[in-house]
């Protein structure tokens, strides 16, 4: 079997990421949080935010952009609200810590909201929302990021792909999990279409004048979700922006240096924002559970278009997760090459 | 001047609505809340949710679907969270009461969330979010409604147009105000295109098989926001659904009788959900204000496409509001005819 098509088990992939991160000097908390967030994405098939980011994070940790031994701490609090300073940790460190605090606050006050300062790229927003759902609560996560998406009728990169995520527990089932960029498509989609020479769908990407294009090679920016009604996508990006950057005093998207830029020394000063909600603060557990079950069951069994089927948010992800847990995952060639290099540099055996 | 093209002043329109509602026996609180919510929409140019609804609300109040003298009360509370029972009030009564409580809770706990049970159609969601912004807080409002929007790849009406709204104060300026249906377009747009014989944009409406159509006469359901990426719009509708219906134990969209149905006797058992956030619970006021100002100023002055311009959420609405405050508003023929009837029935002079 050609090594480039070998699959690796999720558990060994987890081991590899942890050991590489510890090998480069990241503390236990950083290795753990970074690995968990990447593995959430890889497990669910969100490969853009999965283990392919390991080499990038290592570079940022080695360069000093990310703090290998951050001291994440609470800097202020008021009732059901707290602000954490992540001390320029890898972004998942701050986001997991924030969600942990939000869950505690929600258990005390019914709802808890936490702003995270001096954070960085946190990966898939759903990784943190799902933590609340695993404990029976509703979780929401938001982040802004460097500019890549034009405004409605705009002709420059303005917002980041600013994700909005919410996870809701469903008794006896996988959580309802929405994790969406507020752009029409992720930029990775554009790159994929470039490499395959395919045309993009209408209304998802624009050239340098802000005019929609279906040519991935002319794409200079992404369109906000909604095409002709892109003011909605831009407004949703604004929700993530205001929560993540304004309420934390961190950088607005257009002030954030590019994630993939040359400078691996300077912290990027991103904010993030998480909310947890305790359902029982509103209704008894049985009513909540019956409501969610009826909602997702009716959704899944409702009529579909010819040759299509309907899914609840997260269904596709849990299906991929089931498959990958059983069969492992195939690494793309670029990630495999990067892993070989990391394996040699830190003396950690390749995932199998 | 032809009477059908006369404009009426906003203040006299306000007087007319209040007096008609009181004339039909609604209590002071109901007349006040219903009028405020309708006038917010009419002032801002959201005519679908403006005073054109007066005749409908009167019919529902007279029929008993809406309670003319509701006793809105808190039924439970836990920390920063409360649940109100609106006693089948007109929907704005419950939503304003809910936002008032959320604001109080946010002042105490930094954030407050309120679920409203036994509510009804509340009009424009922005009407309630803006109340928080007027007091310096961030406000969010959500509601579900009777099914009108298919799922992504769905072939039946599933969600309501389930709005999401957020208002954020901007020092020395009108608030940032997002108020959006999670459908691609409102159904009123379809009706407008029907009456003018125009084709709809691509990907916003579907025929009875769930297949996209640009023919307004074939439109049986709306598409979720996002066209080819409509799972995002459907997921956002889910956020409004879970907050408004599941967390209140109220009806899911597909269980709600049609707003415009024959039965004007039976309460519809809608839920609603509001959140208020005190910015100072996260950052000092100066940092928050500077952040919002820089965000909206940079947005408004960022490059636009040729022959287009960019706006912050709410800018279009505040512009219309300025114009209508100065010049009044022209009533559409159907609304004017309904007003003449109400004027006669309740002995209230027409707005001038």
């Amino acid at each position: 079997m050609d090594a480039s098509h070998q699959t690796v088990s999720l558990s060994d992939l987890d081991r590899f990421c942890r050991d590489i991160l510890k090998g480069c000097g990241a503390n236990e908390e950083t290795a753990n949080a970074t690995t968990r967030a990447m593995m959430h994405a890889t497990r669910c098939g969100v490969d853009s935010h999965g283990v392919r980011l390991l080499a990038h994070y290592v570079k940022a940790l080695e360069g000093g952009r990310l703090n290998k031994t951050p001291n994440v701490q609470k800097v202020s609090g008021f009732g059901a609200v707290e602000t954490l300073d992540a001390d320029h940790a890898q972004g998942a460190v701050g986001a997991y810590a924030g969600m942990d605090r939000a869950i505690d606050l929600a258990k005390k006050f019914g709802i808890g909201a936490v702003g995270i300062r001096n954070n960085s790229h946190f990966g898939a927003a759903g990784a943190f929302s799902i933590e609340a759902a695993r404990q029976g609560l509703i979780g929401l996560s938001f982040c802004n990021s460097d500019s890549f998406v034009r405004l409605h009728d705009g002709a420059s990169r303005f917002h980041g792909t600013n994700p909005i995520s919410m996870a809701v527990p469903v008794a006896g089932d996988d959580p309802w999990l929405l994790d969406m960029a507020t752009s029409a498509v992720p930029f990775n989609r554009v790159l994929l279409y470039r490499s395959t020479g395919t045309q993009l769908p209408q209304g998802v990407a624009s050239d340098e004048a802000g005019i929609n294009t279906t040519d991935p090679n002319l794409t200079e920016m992404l369109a906000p979700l909604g095409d002709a009604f892109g003011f909605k996508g831009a407004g949703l990006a604004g929700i993530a922006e205001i929560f993540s950057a304004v309420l934390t005093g961190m950088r607005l998207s257009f002030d954030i240096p590019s994630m993939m830029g040359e400078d691996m020394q300077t912290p990027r000063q991103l904010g993030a924002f998480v909310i947890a909600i305790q359902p029982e603060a509103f209704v008894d557990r049985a009513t909540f559970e019956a409501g969610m079950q009826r909602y997702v069951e009716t959704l899944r069994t409702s009529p579909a278009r010819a040759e299509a089927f309907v899914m609840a948010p997260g269904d596709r992800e849990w299906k991929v997760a089931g498959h990958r847990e059983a069969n492992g995952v195939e690494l793309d060639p670029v990630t495999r090459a990067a892993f070989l290099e990391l394996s040699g540099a830190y003396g950690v055996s390749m995932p199998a």
Side-chain angles (χ1 to χ4, degrees), chain A residues 255-273:
Chain A
D255 293 328
I256 298 173
S258 168
M259 177 177 170
M260 293 303 169
E262 287 299 297
D263 177 1
M264 285 288 161
Q265 287 78 53
T266 317
R268 291 167 74 228
Q269 295 179 278
L270 266 70
F273 195 82

Side-chain angles (χ1 to χ4, degrees), chain A residues 16 20 336-351:
Chain A
F16 180 77
I20 291 291
R336 173 167 289 275
F339 277 19
L340 275 166
E341 214 170 291
L342 291 168
S343 167
Y346 297 102
V348 175
S349 63
M350 281 292 282

Side-chain angles (χ1 to χ4, degrees), chain A residues 117-311:
Chain A
R117 295 171 52 85
N118 292 320
N119 209 40
S120 57
H121 186 263
F122 70 16
F128 317 105
S129 304
I130 202 74
E131 289 303 308
R134 291 213 172 98
Q135 296 188 42
L137 289 82
I138 295 174
L140 294 104
S141 310
F142 307 85
C143 188
N144 69 331
S145 51
D146 47 302
S147 292
F148 225 96
V149 187
R150 64 168 172 79
L151 292 165
H152 185 57
D153 278 335
S156 69
R157 296 176 176 189
F158 187 82
H159 287 118
T161 49
N162 294 13
I164 292 179
S165 164
M166 175 158 131
V168 187
V170 182
D173 205 343
D174 288 314
W176 183 97
L177 172 62
L178 178 68
D179 183 357
M180 54 169 272
T182 52
S183 54
V185 281
F187 190 64
N188 282 300
R189 181 77 64 122
V190 177
L191 295 179
L192 177 69
Y193 279 51
R194 264 185 205 167
S195 70
T196 57
T198 335
Q199 295 291 296
L200 288 161
Q202 293 282 349
V204 303
S206 304
D207 66 16
E208 60 183 6
I211 306 302
N212 285 355
T213 179
T214 56
D215 184 343
N217 295 302
L218 293 179
T219 296
E220 276 296 310
M221 59 194 88
L222 303 172
L225 179 69
D227 195 11
F229 304 87
F231 62 91
K232 296 187 181 186
L236 293 165
I239 293 180
E241 189 85 20
I242 292 165
F243 280 165
S244 306
V246 179
L247 281 186
T248 60
M250 289 289 104
R251 285 187 168 152
L252 293 160
S253 287
F254 45 78
D255 293 328
I256 298 173
S258 168
M259 177 177 170
M260 293 303 169
E262 287 299 297
D263 177 1
M264 285 288 161
Q265 287 78 53
T266 317
R268 291 167 74 228
Q269 295 179 278
L270 266 70
F273 195 82
V274 296
I275 299 175
I277 296 172
Q278 176 77 287
E280 293 97 318
F282 292 93
V283 282
D284 62 274
R285 192 78 196 177
T287 302
F288 172 74
E289 290 186 349
M292 277 309 292
Q293 280 171 326
R294 180 160 156 70
Y295 176 54
V296 297
E297 280 169 22
T298 309
L299 193 163
R300 289 184 184 128
T301 55
S302 75
R305 296 186 196 198
E307 293 172 51
F309 52 99
V310 292
M311 286 184 289

Side-chain angles (χ1 to χ4, degrees), chain A residues 24-37:
Chain A
C24 91
N27 66 4
E28 189 73 33
E29 189 188 3
T30 300
N32 184 39
T34 307
T35 301
R36 275 166 76 200

Side-chain angles (χ1 to χ4, degrees), chain A residues 100-121:
Chain A
D100 281 352
R101 291 301 310 135
I103 290 169
D104 272 6
L105 291 164
K107 286 177 179 171
K108 262 190 223 160
F109 298 105
I111 189 168
V114 176
I116 303 126
R117 295 171 52 85
N118 292 320
N119 209 40
S120 57
H121 186 263

